[in-house]
Amino acid sequence: LRAENDRLKAELEEARRAAKRQAAPFGRRRRKKDPKRPGRPKGHAAASRPVPHQVDEHIFVPLDACPVCGGPVCDLRPLAPQYVDDITPPPNPRHRVLCYHNQRGSCPRCHRRVESRHPDQCSSARGAAGVQLGPHLIALATDLHYRIGVTFAKVSGVIAMIFGIVVCAATWARVPEIDASIDRD
């Protein structure tokens, strides 16, 4: 009886240790000795929307006064243009490209660097993010996906077929306006 009792105690202890041990895929990972650098390789083309060849409308946004304190602005400089790929609002939607020309300056009163911004601009991004999707196009994609139930891949296909605007399906999943529009009640 003592031998059997000792054997059962050993099995019980082994079972307790096994329950605390994590399964293989969740075990601790060993660091690699020579890990690859994160990000794209050197010389790889940037992953951004290309600058449109044709612009339908140029919008110049002057900086007349400081938007913070209303004071005068000095050292005015033009900023890189921002392109917005969008559609016109219904009833006759069509593809259009807007180009916003903003200015930057400094305010001697509040000592801030300020930029002009048009009310219709969704973002003030420049450079690699200088080509944006417009609010009407984002609203259409949101409506197709969340109200009608079309997948992001099919949303991209519909927009490419109707308007000729090529958008990767993963782009719709990353658009903050689409994620923020979800009703979370």
Side-chain angles (χ1 to χ4, degrees), residues 50-69:
V51 174
H53 298 294
Q54 179 182 351
V55 176
D56 297 318
E57 188 177 348
H58 289 274
I59 300 171
F60 295 92
V61 186
L63 185 60
D64 298 326
C66 176
V68 178
C69 69

Side-chain angles (χ1 to χ4, degrees), residues 87-151:
I87 57 176
T88 57
N92 297 320
R94 64 174 181 80
H95 180 214
R96 72 174 177 175
V97 177
L98 304 172
C99 180
Y100 291 99
H101 299 276
N102 299 77
Q103 293 181 326
R104 173 183 283 165
S106 58
C107 176
R109 186 185 296 172
C110 65
H111 305 290
R112 294 185 187 192
R113 189 168 62 183
V114 292
E115 295 180 4
S116 63
R117 185 163 174 172
H118 194 274
D120 293 342
Q121 276 182 286
C122 294
S123 167
S124 60
R126 304 267 185 272
V131 181
Q132 302 283 321
L133 298 176
H136 296 103
L137 188 63
I138 291 171
L140 174 64
T142 303
D143 198 38
L144 286 172
H145 183 70
Y146 289 105
R147 189 171 64 90
I148 299 175
V150 180
T151 64

Side-chain angles (χ1 to χ4, degrees), residues 1-15:
L1 285 175
R2 285 187 183 140
E4 186 179 358
N5 190 14
D6 290 340
R7 183 182 58 81
L8 289 174
K9 283 183 179 179
E11 284 181 22
L12 178 62
E13 187 61 32
E14 181 64 32

